[in-house]
Amino acid sequence: METIIEMLTHRGEHLTGRVLGPLNFRLVVMPLVVTVLAFRAHMRDVREGRSTVLWAFLKDPAERRRLFRSGLRDFGKVFIVACVLDTVYQILVLRSFYPGELLVVATMCSIVPYCLIRGPVTRIGRLLRRKWFGQAKQSADDTKNDA
């Protein structure tokens, strides 16, 4: 039991050391890039009139496949870059390679922000689009009625 606690403590120290250590810019840049990609994906969903991501993912297996592929296309490259940067960090700073830590950091830098952003942005975009197009349609109807 002591060995497990030691191992978890050691891994925790490695993970927290990434925040202040060299190459820490990736912990900010990667989530920002993924957020932009998620925003673009949401706007694409809003334009195409698709349902929110979480609901569609849980409800429809065919839609689940499309959403999974869309997500891979959007954050796959960023995930790979996050893996490469963390590997460089581990080799330079830790003088070792820990694949488990690599997956945790790459996931936290790419997949988690994407999943957290995509749903709310879709809802906000849909509301704004409805409001904007609703006002534009109402203005056009008013202009027709005045003529």
Side-chain angles (χ1 to χ4, degrees):
M1 186 70 170
E2 244 178 73
T3 307
I4 293 173
I5 293 173
E6 258 181 60
M7 183 185 73
L8 290 175
T9 304
H10 187 69
R11 297 298 180 250
E13 289 170 2
H14 281 185
L15 290 173
T16 56
R18 284 172 168 82
V19 176
L20 301 174
L23 297 173
N24 63 352
F25 69 93
R26 76 195 186 291
L27 300 177
V28 175
V29 172
M30 291 297 168
L32 286 176
V33 169
V34 172
T35 300
V36 169
L37 293 174
F39 183 78
R40 289 179 55 204
H42 298 311
M43 297 314 289
R44 187 175 55 236
D45 286 347
V46 168
R47 275 192 308 270
E48 295 172 3
R50 294 188 175 140
S51 60
T52 59
V53 175
L54 181 61
W55 182 250
F57 194 82
L58 295 174
K59 182 179 146 187
D60 186 12
E63 191 71 3
R64 187 177 308 139
R65 187 173 294 118
R66 183 195 66 80
L67 289 170
F68 183 72
R69 286 186 182 145
S70 171
L72 280 178
R73 186 177 53 241
D74 290 335
F75 66 75
K77 292 174 188 160
V78 178
F79 182 80
I80 291 169
V81 171
C83 288
V84 168
L85 284 174
D86 198 63
T87 300
V88 169
Y89 171 84
Q90 287 186 23
I91 291 170
L92 291 176
V93 176
L94 303 177
R95 306 263 188 242
S96 178
F97 179 69
Y98 301 98
E101 291 178 20
L102 169 86
L103 292 176
V104 168
V105 171
T107 301
M108 294 303 288
C109 285
S110 61
I111 297 172
V112 171
Y114 184 85
C115 294
L116 289 176
I117 296 295
R118 188 161 183 175
V121 170
T122 301
R123 286 187 193 94
I124 292 168
R126 188 171 291 126
L127 288 172
L128 291 175
R129 186 176 171 108
R130 212 178 285 149
K131 182 179 179 180
W132 187 74
F133 279 123
Q135 288 176 353
K137 187 176 179 182
Q138 185 178 8
S139 311
D141 290 343
D142 291 342
T143 307
K144 253 190 240 178
N145 292 337
D146 289 340

